[in-house]
Amino acid sequence: MDESVKELQKQLTWEFPHIAKEAPDQTKEAAEYCEGYKAFLNKAKTEREFVAEAVRILSENGYQEYEIGKKYETGDKVYFINRKKALIMTTFGCRPLEEGIRLNIAHIDSPRLDLKPNPLYEKTDLAFLKTHYYGGIRKYQWATIPLAMHGVVITKDGTAVDICIGEDEGDPVFCVTDLLPHLAAEQNERKLKDGIKGEELNVLVGSIPYAGEEIKEPVKLLVLKLLNEKYGMTEKDFTRAEIEMVPAVKATDVGLDRSLVGAYGQDDKVCAYTAMTAEMATEKPEYTTVTVLADKEEIGSVGNTGLDSDFSLHYIEYLADAAGADVKTVLRNSICLSSDVTPPTTRRLPAFTRRRTPAM
């Protein structure tokens, strides 16, 4: 190639720098940062768990729950919870609020399998839970992998009971079954996207019948008995429950050089966690910060915890009212960063994220 062309290409084109080449000394720093990230991922597989764990960490780092109408000083740190499934954090800045705020927004929900309202059934002496996939998933990836059950159930007396099975040492796990290769001739003719269909994503939860006299659906009954003993729930309580099936795997390093993190839920917790830690590291900023961690992005940001609702706008209105500022002026002068995952190549790598430095 002609030297003049090479020089022109150098002047006009740009490639994203590889952090290990540009700043090799930061590789160790990134690895250390990811230890906290991996530990957080293991405790925050659902949006409810993310909010609970984040609030615990924020409280340990000087944050207080936001009080509507209260005036705060520069450097004060607060958090605001929306229905236990979305979270806003703020560090109050030096400049007047009407000069604008600095927004960073990410989401904390991830693709998964949700239980249907009446999910439990028995077939061929096996008990299953019917599911509906949440968000964009590659359905064939969800068969025969260990799954954990996470969620909350509201019992008849109104008590909210947290559910988590499959994460602790010694816990059972669950799975979506698949066919043996020599029994799958018809299935083998399907296109990849239909290898496992949505209506086939039913989760195996039991195979032992309830002992005793002849009864209808004895395997289902034993499953219900075990759930009742552990959580006090009955079959009707499924209609008052929000239960999710997620991969029962721990976050871990991938590769001999440990350069990748393999874990469930990194879309978009890789942005949400880094946004949270950046927010915590902020001290007396020039502009007031507002870090929004929202729900429901995977299905269109709908609902009262998604960004299609007004919960984040109402929060900014609360800030403006307390500061005696015009909210329209605040919004006009504000800048927002929308944070979501970007795959490093054209191939989708949903479970792997490159180690990066903690800086935003």
Side-chain angles (χ1 to χ4, degrees):
M1 184 183 294
D2 185 90
E3 288 300 320
S4 61
V5 176
K6 288 183 178 180
E7 182 61 29
L8 182 64
Q9 185 180 48
K10 183 178 180 180
Q11 293 177 4
L12 300 181
T13 62
W14 180 80
E15 291 183 2
F16 200 99
H18 195 300
I19 188 65
K21 292 181 179 179
E22 295 293 316
D25 57 311
Q26 292 187 19
T27 302
K28 181 180 179 181
E29 181 185 358
E32 292 173 350
Y33 177 82
C34 283
E35 291 306 305
Y37 172 55
K38 290 186 295 183
F40 188 90
L41 285 175
N42 291 336
K43 295 179 179 180
K45 289 190 174 183
T46 70
E47 60 276 17
R48 289 179 183 273
E49 292 169 348
F50 189 111
V51 170
E53 182 65 10
V55 167
R56 183 189 69 80
I57 294 173
L58 292 170
S59 298
E60 292 177 352
N61 285 271
Y63 282 75
Q64 296 181 337
E65 189 164 6
Y66 177 69
E67 296 180 32
I68 297 173
K70 181 178 178 178
K71 291 186 178 181
Y72 290 91
E73 303 296 325
T74 299
D76 285 348
K77 291 175 172 289
V78 298
Y79 64 85
F80 177 84
I81 303 171
N82 179 19
R83 295 169 173 83
K84 299 183 180 181
K85 297 178 72 176
L87 181 68
I88 301 178
M89 298 159 281
T90 286
T91 302
F92 288 88
C94 303
R95 295 200 181 204
L97 203 68
E98 284 194 339
E99 293 190 27
I101 58 178
R102 295 298 179 261
L103 280 151
N104 187 9
I105 301 177
H107 70 92
I108 55 177
D109 61 314
S110 299
R112 59 180 187 256
L113 301 180
D114 285 340
L115 295 196
K116 291 185 176 182
N118 187 25
L120 184 59
Y121 72 98
E122 181 176 331
K123 183 179 180 181
T124 61
D125 296 325
L126 300 172
F128 295 92
L129 293 170
K130 298 177 185 177
T131 70
H132 187 281
Y133 58 89
Y134 173 97
I137 68 171
R138 304 298 295 273
K139 301 179 188 66
Y140 67 86
Q141 293 181 338
W142 287 76
T144 70
I145 65 171
L147 298 174
M149 182 186 296
H150 291 241
V152 62
V153 58
I154 310 300
T155 57
K156 186 177 181 179
D157 63 1
T159 303
V161 181
D162 291 328
I163 291 177
C164 184
I165 307 173
E167 298 292 352
D168 293 337
E169 188 72 27
D171 271 3
V173 295
F174 312 93
C175 74
V176 174
T177 61
D178 199 0
L179 292 171
L180 294 169
H182 58 277
L183 298 177
E186 182 180 337
Q187 184 189 43
N188 291 341
E189 299 302 315
R190 297 178 182 178
K191 292 184 178 180
L192 179 63
K193 67 181 181 68
D194 296 320
I196 295 290
K197 297 180 180 180
E199 58 269 24
E200 296 169 340
L201 291 170
N202 298 319
V203 178
L204 178 65
V205 293
S207 62
I208 298 177
Y210 185 85
E213 60 188 72
E214 286 294 322
I215 56 174
K216 185 180 179 181
E217 298 181 317
V219 180
K220 174 181 174 179
L221 181 60
L222 182 59
V223 168
L224 286 171
K225 180 177 181 292
L226 295 172
L227 288 173
N228 183 261
E229 290 173 349
K230 189 173 180 66
Y231 298 110
M233 64 181 292
T234 66
E235 185 173 16
K236 187 176 181 180
D237 292 332
F238 279 114
T239 63
R240 295 185 290 261
E242 186 178 77
I243 300 176
E244 307 164 7
M245 308 301 298
V246 299
V249 294
K250 302 296 185 184
T252 188
D253 297 334
V254 176
L256 290 173
D257 57 1
R258 298 179 177 269
S259 59
L260 297 170
V261 173
Y264 164 72
Q266 297 196 74
D267 179 6
D268 184 34
K269 296 181 181 71
V270 68
C271 296
Y273 177 81
T274 49
M276 180 183 73
T277 55
E279 163 64 41
M280 288 192 300
T282 301
E283 300 290 342
K284 296 184 178 181
E286 186 175 358
Y287 296 90
T288 294
T289 66
V290 175
T291 302
V292 180
L293 304 181
D295 182 27
K296 297 291 190 290
E297 188 275 345
E298 296 290 348
I299 57 171
S301 298
V302 298
N304 54 17
T305 55
L307 283 180
D308 266 1
S309 73
D310 289 332
F311 83 89
S312 54
L313 174 61
H314 290 168
Y315 178 78
I316 297 171
E317 290 174 338
Y318 292 148
L319 296 183
D321 289 345
D326 178 69
V327 69
K328 294 186 290 297
T329 303
V330 175
L331 293 172
R332 185 174 66 247
N333 292 328
S334 296
I335 297 174
C336 179
L337 172 66
S338 178
S339 303
D340 209 337
V341 295
T342 301
T345 69
T346 55
R347 289 179 60 86
R348 178 170 168 80
L349 301 175
F352 302 134
T353 295
R354 291 185 184 277
R355 290 189 183 275
R356 299 186 187 277
T357 57
M360 291 180 63

